Amino acid sequence: VMLGVITVDDVLDVEEEKGTMEFLQENFVAASVKENEHFLNAVKCSNQYETTIVPVTNEEKELVGVITVTDLLKALGNFSGANEIGGIIVMEMERSQFAISEISRIVESNDATILHLNTTVHPETGMLTVTLHLNKKEISAIVSSFERYEYDVIYYFGDEKFENEIHINYRHLM
């Protein structure tokens, strides 16, 4: 049965005569996830207890294995679509403005698809940051559409096809 996690520093700081398991249990951190839980629970556990490993237990609370922070980072990268090719648009808005149906409609009206959508709340302002990962790298038309609908686009990454076409047409004219 897994009782908890303890740091090496806590073990080294214990005086030899007090070095019993009962005394050390005071320093145990009850950080673990069950083997059938979603990996985001392991991320939450790692953040909550500030550990570099997350123990995995079965229903009998026996240690099955551990998940390292490196493994969690790789899983988060795959989960967020970091390996997929496409443009990224980041917008900031009030929570009451957030309507996934409207955002999706704007993206789809520009012949694109949302691969991943993530939201975070700025702790000081309460503003919602919406990050869109799209299936197209040419996103200037989509950015323009969001701006036309008065969305506050604070960052985007992708190809700017319109800008290139303007320069090409200008060169042909000259």
Side-chain angles (χ1 to χ4, degrees):
V1 175
M2 192 190 107
L3 300 174
V5 178
I6 190 167
T7 67
V8 173
D9 291 338
D10 287 341
V11 173
L12 294 176
D13 288 344
V14 174
E15 297 173 21
E16 211 170 296
E17 64 273 0
K18 294 182 181 178
T20 63
M21 185 61 72
E22 292 81 26
F23 183 77
L24 288 173
Q25 273 185 300
E26 294 175 8
N27 297 327
F28 285 0
V29 175
S32 69
V33 294
K34 299 239 183 313
E35 62 187 336
N36 58 354
E37 288 185 50
H38 195 275
F39 86 94
L40 287 178
N41 289 341
V43 173
K44 179 181 175 185
C45 182
S46 176
N47 287 339
Q48 180 180 357
Y49 295 107
E50 298 181 7
T51 64
T52 57
I53 61 162
V54 178
V56 180
T57 59
N58 60 18
E59 292 300 321
E60 291 79 36
K61 294 190 178 185
E62 298 170 332
L63 183 66
V64 177
V66 295
I67 303 171
T68 65
V69 171
T70 304
D71 292 334
L72 287 176
L73 185 59
K74 288 177 186 175
L76 277 171
N78 290 333
F79 183 73
S80 69
N83 300 334
E84 298 179 34
I85 297 173
I88 295 174
I89 299 174
V90 181
M91 300 179 289
E92 190 173 65
M93 63 188 71
E94 296 285 340
R95 285 183 179 188
S96 59
Q97 277 185 298
F98 179 70
I100 193 166
S101 57
E102 182 176 343
I103 291 170
S104 180
R105 182 186 58 75
I106 292 169
V107 170
E108 290 172 1
S109 70
N110 285 282
D111 297 321
T113 304
I114 299 172
L115 299 175
H116 300 277
L117 183 144
N118 189 24
T119 60
T120 54
V121 177
H122 192 278
E124 293 172 10
T125 64
M127 294 290 283
L128 189 67
T129 302
V130 179
T131 304
L132 304 173
H133 187 179
L134 308 175
N135 69 332
K136 290 173 68 172
K137 286 197 81 76
E138 298 172 356
I139 60 170
S140 54
I142 302 168
V143 170
S144 296
S145 293
F146 278 121
E147 290 172 343
R148 191 169 47 253
Y149 285 98
E150 299 182 2
Y151 282 91
D152 185 15
V153 176
I154 58 174
Y155 172 82
Y156 62 92
F157 174 78
D159 295 337
E160 295 184 40
K161 183 179 178 183
F162 290 147
E163 190 76 4
N164 294 337
E165 285 180 10
I166 290 171
H167 287 298
I168 290 168
N169 290 340
Y170 177 74
R171 277 186 257 130
H172 286 294
L173 180 64
M174 291 297 130

